[in-house]
Amino acid sequence: MQIENDERDLLFWVRQALNVVFMLAAIAGVVCYVWIDKELGIYIVLGAMVVKMTESILRMVKNK
C-alpha cells in the first residue's frame, strides 16, 4: 500500500543519511588518529560505530 511504501522510502533515506554520517565520521576519526591525537581519533571512530549499529538495527527491524 501507499503508506507502507512511504514508510519504506523514509526509512531508506534515514538509513542512507546514517551511512553518510558513518563514513564521514570514520574517515575523520582515522585522519585524527593518524595525524592529530590518537585518543580523540578512537573516540570519533567509536561514535561512528554507534551510528553504524543504529543503521544496522533499522535494517533488521525493517525486515521483520
Side-chain angles (χ1 to χ4, degrees), residues 15 18-19 50-60:
R15 285 184 45 227
L18 288 172
N19 276 325
V50 169
V51 172
K52 187 59 179 176
M53 285 187 271
T54 303
E55 187 272 330
S56 297
I57 290 168
L58 288 174
R59 187 177 346 129
M60 287 187 276

Side-chain angles (χ1 to χ4, degrees), residues 1-8:
M1 302 304 174
Q2 184 64 27
I3 294 174
E4 289 178 13
N5 288 337
D6 290 343
E7 289 176 6
R8 287 182 186 168

Side-chain angles (χ1 to χ4, degrees), residues 1 5 7 13 16 19 22 30 39 42 59:
M1 302 304 174
N5 288 337
E7 289 176 6
W13 288 112
Q16 292 301 318
N19 276 325
F22 164 72
V30 170
E39 186 175 355
I42 289 171
R59 187 177 346 129

